[in-house]
């Protein structure tokens, strides 16, 4: 269901990790005291022994980084995470009240019972892996390759990602209509690179992965010898899938994912997928044509379906089921799942307390019900108003910025204005709340609740096929600390979760608010005009509105940004050095650079030339940049930095700050930086 081209402000949607909330706590630590509000501008976070023109990130965040080591239950710890953590406490209060017996609203009943079932470790423990028995029995009963595909269809409806994906997306050529799409899929590790690269770390990871699969099968009752052989089978199958998978950077170009065809032609393309039968049994509204995201994947895997034995495929399906639902099972499964996925792959030392995982799970699976209670408690109508005011100021700045561009012709500028003027702003929460009344939730069946809520969401998405595109549907829940732009909808979206300190505070001056939430707004606006977004027009259709000369000028400028970030080191440890992929992160880096410029322009328009008294010894201009730098104060484990360098289209905090200010004339002026200093890049990379 991740088919929207969606550009988020940061990766790892803090409240939406898939099923992440279903694990058992290792430690008996009780919830500690409620975290305080996060300060918006924090002089005590700075390291003023460093010259801001030499290393601005260290200057803005040095003391914070020293004093805020990563908590044992996290792989990354920054100001975003602090805010998300604070939201967890707010949501826990809401859920504890909702789970208590007594008079409850239907919404309280739904989320309260879900949370209660998750927290009831006694029942979860007693049931062990029993919740998976029906699916495992179905897999065991498969007799032919046709039945194999049917079984995959059943598993897809329960949200188990196996072999390929099926879902919906707005038509890239007529975004008013939503169409069906099939695409590559079926991998367990975070990226194809994990299967295909030969460096020491990748080889080690595959070895650990095989050991992990083996342990999980043993927990299901398989004999050690059998489990070891099964683990090798899974790796072999997934490695073949990985070879057929298009890499992330290539997928950034929408034309590489755009292959409309008649459904009959799709079925003929890869007959062993039995797509005609699959579609017929998918419970989706009828459709005659669809998008095949990566036709080569289907062609290649078509061979694999034939050449791999039925028994081996059944082992793979058992594994995908077990891996997907392990967090909902008893402690032995939860612990082994944590040990590999969080501890080994991300460097997280301890599992999160169970209540945190249960809050996340509720948000993930019933988020638009929990979000309603969250909004009632935290987000007044004035929150929408004040955000909208800033959005309008930054849209005006973008208009001004486009007018001033020296490299773009008037013809393209007119189209750019048109796109800018059409952008829809969604703030806080959806106009209409999602209705979960058909999702059956009981207090004694946590795994079942997760499956039913997941199946509900899969079906809800499928129901959109062959219908007018639903532009009102949100892609993030209200408590999420994040924001996003959708190319096909041409809209920017700011959940209530991010519209609070340190991003926005009524008690702060404009400089500080524009440096934080202002840059987030500018970032999302710029996504409409980054390497990916610029290929969609005002209506969200894949249509070239650029003159060839202007497109060339854009690409030259974008290449400067790509080369700049490719030179930055993401992690350097005993397993070697990994640099950022400047092409994978190009859209986000363009949005960061553009966002900072637009927010600064909007601030300049507000404060004008009237002298403003320094606060804490800093001018408003300096406060703007320090405020921006400080939203990125963070510490990350080496393991997590390595994982993110492969899969995350965003740069790490250090480079989101230093990579951007190096290109900013406003920054250099505010701090009096001189040519030749590290925070003065020559030539500077400027797209917008
Ligand atoms: Zn973004």
């Amino acid at each position: 269901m991740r088919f929207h081209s969606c550009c988020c402000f940061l990766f790892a949607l803090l409240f939406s990790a898939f099923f992440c909330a279903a694990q058992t706590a290792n430690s008996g630590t009780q919830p500690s005291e409620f975290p305080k509000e996060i300060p918006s501008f924090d002089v005590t976070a700075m390291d003023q022994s460093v010259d801001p023109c030499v290393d601005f990130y260290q200057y803005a965040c040095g003391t914070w980084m020293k004093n805020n080591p990563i908590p044992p239950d996290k792989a990354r710890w920054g100001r975003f995470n602090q805010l998300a953590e604070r939201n967890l406490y707010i949501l826990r209060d809401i859920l504890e009240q909702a789970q208590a017996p007594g008079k409850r609203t239907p919404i309280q009943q739904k989320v309260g019972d879900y949370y209660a079932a998750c927290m009831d470790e006694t029942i979860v423990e007693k049931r062990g892996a029993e919740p998976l028995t029906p699916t495992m029995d179905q897999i065991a009963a498969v007799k032919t390759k046709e039945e194999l595909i049917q079984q995959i269809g059943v598993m897809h409806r329960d949200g188990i990602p196996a072999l390929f994906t099926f879902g919906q997306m707005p038509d890239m050529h007529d975004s008013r209509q939503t169409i069906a799409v099939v695409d590559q899929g079926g991998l367990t590790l975070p990226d194809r690179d994990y299967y295909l690269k030969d460096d020491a770390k990748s080889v080690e990871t595959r070895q650990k992965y095989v050991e992990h699969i083996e342990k999980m099968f043993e927990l299901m009752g398989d004999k050690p010898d059998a489990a070891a052989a099964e683990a090798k089978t899974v790796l072999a199958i997934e490695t073949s899938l990985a070879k057929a998978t298009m890499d992330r950077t290539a997928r950034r170009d929408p034309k590489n994912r755009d292959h409309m065809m008649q459904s009959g032609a799709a079925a003929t393309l890869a007959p062993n997928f039995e797509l005609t039968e699959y579609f017929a049994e998918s419970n989706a509204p009828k459709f005659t044509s669809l998008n095949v995201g990566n036709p080569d994947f289907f062609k290649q895997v078509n061979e694999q379906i034939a050449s791999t034995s039925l028994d081996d495929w059944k082992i793979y399906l058992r594994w995908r089921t077990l891996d997907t639902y392990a967090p909902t099972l008893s402690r032995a499964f939860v612990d082994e799942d944590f040990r590999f996925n969080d501890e080994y792959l991300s460097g997280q030392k301890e599992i999160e307390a169970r209540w945190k995982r249960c809050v996340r799970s509720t948000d993930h699976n019933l988020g638009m019900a929990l979000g309603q209670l969250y909004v009632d408690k935290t987000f007044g109508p004035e929150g929408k108003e004040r955000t909208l005011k800033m959005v309008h100021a930054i849209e005006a700045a973008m208009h001004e910025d486009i007018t001033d561009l020296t490299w773009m012709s008037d013809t393209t500028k007119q189209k750019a204005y048109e796109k800018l003027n059409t952008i829809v702003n969604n703030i806080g929460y959806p106009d209409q709340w999602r209705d979960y009344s058909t999702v059956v939730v009981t207090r004694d069946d946590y795994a079942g609740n997760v499956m039913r809520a997941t199946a509900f969401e899969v079906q809800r998405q499928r129901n959109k096929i062959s219908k007018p595109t639903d532009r009102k549907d949100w892609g993030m829940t209200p408590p999420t600390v994040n924001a996003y732009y959708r190319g096909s909808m041409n809209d920017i979206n700011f959940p209530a979760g991010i519209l609070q300190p340190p991003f926005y505070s009524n008690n702060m001056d404009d400089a500080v608010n524009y440096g934080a939430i202002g840059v987030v707004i500018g970032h999302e606006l710029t996504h409409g005009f980054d390497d990916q977004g610029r290929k969609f027009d005002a209506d969200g259709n894949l249509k070239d509105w650029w003159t060839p000369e202007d497109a060339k000028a854009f690409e030259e400028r974008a290449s400067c940004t790509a080369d700049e970030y490719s030179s930055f080191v993401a992690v350097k440890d005993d397993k070697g050095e990994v640099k950022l992929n400047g092409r994978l992160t190009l859209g986000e880096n363009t949005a960061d650079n553009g966002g900072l410029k637009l927010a600064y322009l909007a601030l300049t328009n507000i404060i004008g030339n009237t002298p403003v008294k320094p606060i804490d010894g800093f001018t408003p201009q300096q406060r703007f940049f320090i405020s921006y730098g400080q939203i990125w104060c963070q510490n990350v484990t080496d393991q997590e930095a390595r994982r993110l360098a492969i899969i995350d289209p965003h740069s790490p905090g250090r480079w989101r700050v230093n990579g951007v200010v190096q290109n900013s004339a406003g920054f250099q002026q505010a701090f009096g930086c001189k040519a030749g200093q590290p925070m003065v890049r020559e030539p500077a990379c400027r797209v917008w």
Side-chain angles (χ1 to χ4, degrees):
M1 288 131 293
R2 288 177 220 108
F3 293 114
H4 285 298
S5 80
C6 160
C7 310
C8 315
F9 192 63
L10 78 160
F11 195 62
L13 314 178
L14 289 166
F15 276 85
S16 304
F18 197 60
F19 294 165
C20 65
Q23 305 158 347
T24 311
N26 275 340
S27 60
T29 25
Q30 279 308 302
S32 51
E33 63 188 288
F34 201 95
K36 286 199 255 334
E37 191 170 283
I38 324 291
S40 289
F41 180 95
D42 188 359
V43 179
T44 67
M46 300 172 67
D47 174 1
Q48 295 191 57
S49 70
V50 173
D51 183 343
C53 301
V54 171
D55 183 350
F56 184 64
Y57 187 64
Q58 182 66 27
Y59 175 79
C61 292
T63 306
W64 188 96
M65 291 190 286
K66 200 175 78 195
N67 292 340
N68 289 275
I70 306 166
D73 68 345
K74 301 285 184 294
R76 178 163 53 159
W77 187 241
R79 310 250 294 178
F80 271 96
N81 308 81
Q82 284 182 306
L83 179 54
E85 188 83 352
R86 192 167 182 276
N87 275 349
L88 284 180
Y89 281 78
I90 295 170
L91 294 171
R92 184 190 57 176
D93 282 356
I94 292 170
L95 287 169
E96 285 191 343
Q97 205 185 336
Q99 72 162 345
K103 202 167 152 34
R104 301 185 290 167
T105 66
I107 289 175
Q108 281 181 316
Q109 212 162 12
K110 191 75 69 177
V111 298
D113 288 350
Y114 183 97
Y115 180 73
C118 179
M119 289 299 286
D120 194 335
E121 289 185 79
T122 314
I123 296 183
V124 168
E125 201 53 36
K126 210 165 76 191
R127 296 187 67 200
E130 178 229 298
L132 302 188
T133 306
T135 310
M136 294 303 188
D137 287 351
Q138 287 167 1
I139 295 170
V142 166
K143 297 271 178 323
T144 63
K145 295 266 168 91
E146 291 75 40
E147 287 177 15
L148 177 79
I149 299 292
Q150 274 171 14
Q151 176 58 26
I152 289 174
V154 171
M155 288 163 58
H156 283 175
R157 296 209 293 269
D158 286 339
I160 300 168
L163 196 63
F164 68 103
T165 64
F166 171 65
Q168 53 76 32
M169 64 184 286
D171 185 343
M172 278 198 254
H173 304 281
D174 180 5
S175 67
R176 293 167 302 175
Q177 278 297 313
T178 290
I179 57 166
V181 54
V182 290
D183 211 338
Q184 63 189 31
L187 301 182
T188 306
L189 292 172
D191 188 87
R192 73 195 281 278
D193 277 9
Y194 282 81
Y195 298 90
L196 306 178
K197 285 176 92 172
D198 281 328
D199 60 283
K201 180 69 183 174
S202 302
V203 171
E204 181 198 273
T205 301
R206 289 194 287 275
Q207 202 181 330
K208 300 274 185 197
Y209 177 47
V210 167
E211 287 165 18
H212 165 61
I213 304 171
E214 196 178 323
K215 280 189 197 132
M216 293 286 268
F217 276 132
E218 282 183 38
L219 289 175
M220 288 296 287
D222 296 2
K223 295 258 157 40
D225 282 358
E230 287 163 348
K232 290 201 181 80
T233 300
V234 170
L235 181 67
I237 287 182
E238 292 186 354
T239 303
S240 298
L241 296 178
K243 284 180 186 156
T245 299
M246 193 193 303
D247 76 67
R248 282 172 199 276
T249 307
R251 283 182 71 85
R252 287 192 58 71
D253 189 341
K255 78 172 184 316
N256 291 337
R257 291 176 269 123
D258 176 29
H259 309 280
M260 281 302 290
M261 52 182 91
Q262 295 296 307
S263 32
T268 315
L269 178 79
N272 294 337
F273 279 84
E274 309 278 353
L275 286 178
T276 306
E277 291 74 19
Y278 178 95
F279 295 148
E281 289 170 27
S282 67
N283 280 349
K286 278 206 171 27
F287 56 91
T288 52
S289 61
L290 79 162
N291 185 26
V292 179
N294 177 8
D296 286 342
F297 177 86
F298 286 88
K299 281 187 229 163
Q300 283 191 49
V301 176
N302 188 59
E303 292 300 308
Q304 196 189 337
I305 292 176
S307 60
T308 304
S309 76
L310 189 62
D311 283 345
D312 284 358
W313 279 119
K314 287 158 74 168
I315 291 167
Y316 167 74
L317 295 193
R318 282 182 74 212
W319 167 244
R320 294 305 301 130
T321 305
L322 183 52
D323 176 69
T324 304
Y325 279 97
T328 68
L329 306 178
S330 56
R331 181 162 177 165
F333 291 94
V334 170
D335 285 351
E336 176 54 28
D337 182 67
F338 165 79
R339 202 197 50 73
F340 179 73
N341 287 305
D342 301 299
E343 191 175 42
Y344 176 70
L345 287 183
S346 293
Q348 184 179 327
K349 292 198 174 68
E350 279 176 19
I351 198 163
E352 277 192 317
R354 187 161 184 102
W355 73 265
K356 291 186 192 175
R357 287 175 279 134
C358 289
V359 170
R360 287 183 200 281
S361 178
T362 317
D363 179 73
H364 182 74
N365 286 317
L366 299 172
M368 290 298 177
L370 178 58
Q372 196 172 344
L373 303 176
Y374 173 83
V375 164
D376 288 346
K377 189 166 175 168
T378 62
F379 194 71
E382 80 286 353
K384 230 171 185 161
E385 221 166 280
R386 68 190 185 212
T387 311
L388 207 53
K389 212 172 126 198
M390 289 182 79
V391 170
H392 290 148
I394 292 165
E395 283 174 345
M398 181 145 212
H399 196 280
E400 201 181 323
D401 177 61
I402 293 170
T403 306
D404 289 346
L405 290 179
T406 51
W407 55 270
M408 190 186 266
S409 69
D410 280 344
T411 319
T412 307
K413 279 183 184 179
Q414 290 310 321
K415 297 281 183 192
Y417 295 141
E418 196 186 313
K419 181 163 185 180
L420 175 63
N421 293 339
T422 318
I423 289 179
V424 173
N425 307 310
N426 297 318
I427 292 162
Y429 51 92
D431 293 341
Q432 208 170 15
W433 292 106
R434 196 168 297 162
D435 177 9
Y436 293 100
S437 56
T438 58
V439 181
V440 176
V441 170
T442 69
R443 287 179 87 106
D444 59 358
D445 183 15
Y446 176 54
N449 293 340
V450 173
M451 283 181 208
R452 288 184 291 270
T454 304
F456 167 83
E457 178 60 16
V458 169
Q459 190 58 47
R460 197 182 71 83
Q461 295 293 344
R462 286 185 183 184
N463 288 344
K464 294 177 179 176
I465 293 170
S466 303
K467 303 232 173 71
T469 297
D470 180 4
R471 291 171 186 266
K472 296 279 179 201
D473 197 28
W474 278 59
M476 285 179 191
T477 67
T480 309
V481 183
N482 208 337
Y484 61 100
Y485 170 81
R486 292 185 290 197
S488 54
M489 312 272 189
N490 198 25
D491 63 6
I492 52 177
N493 305 269
F494 306 95
I498 198 170
L499 302 172
Q500 53 179 325
F503 291 93
Y504 184 90
S505 167
N506 274 331
N507 307 323
M508 280 292 158
D509 48 315
D510 284 329
V512 168
N513 285 330
Y514 273 83
I517 196 71
V519 179
V520 178
I521 295 167
H523 173 108
E524 300 308 333
L525 275 179
T526 308
H527 269 314
F529 305 87
D530 69 14
D531 61 318
Q532 203 172 40
R534 80 171 189 87
K535 293 175 177 162
F536 293 84
D537 68 7
D539 297 323
N541 294 326
L542 187 56
K543 202 161 158 191
D544 193 357
W545 46 272
W546 295 63
T547 66
E549 299 74 37
D550 291 340
K552 192 162 161 264
F554 177 94
E555 293 300 339
E556 274 168 25
R557 278 166 175 74
S559 288
C560 177
T561 307
D563 294 343
E564 175 192 349
Y565 284 80
S566 289
S567 73
F568 296 150
V569 175
V571 62
K572 195 175 174 177
D573 61 12
D574 56 341
K575 295 282 188 298
E577 177 186 280
V578 181
K579 286 201 167 126
L580 292 184
N581 176 347
R583 284 284 160 190
L584 174 65
T585 56
L586 180 55
E588 297 300 337
N589 297 331
T590 305
D592 279 346
N593 279 275
L596 185 91
K597 188 178 174 198
L598 298 179
Y600 191 64
L601 188 56
L603 175 69
T604 310
N605 289 343
I606 291 168
I607 58 179
N609 293 323
T610 45
V612 180
K613 268 213 304 225
I615 305 175
D616 297 330
F618 298 100
T619 66
Q621 288 79 4
Q622 290 171 335
R623 287 169 68 76
F624 170 90
F625 289 105
I626 295 167
S627 171
Y628 173 67
Q630 290 190 339
I631 65 174
W632 290 113
C633 294
Q634 61 179 218
N635 286 307
V636 189
T637 65
D638 287 345
Q639 294 92 324
E640 182 69 349
R642 190 176 282 277
R643 189 179 74 92
L644 293 175
I646 298 169
I647 63 171
D648 189 352
H650 304 85
S651 299
R654 167 174 297 277
W655 302 120
R656 291 190 80 159
V657 176
N658 282 357
V660 170
V661 297
Q662 285 180 29
N663 295 320
S664 165
F667 167 80
Q668 290 145 13
Q669 212 173 19
F671 287 93
C673 303
K674 309 234 157 30
Q677 289 193 286
M679 295 296 109
V680 183
R681 187 178 182 83
E682 282 176 38
C685 298
R686 285 176 196 144
V687 181
W688 295 102

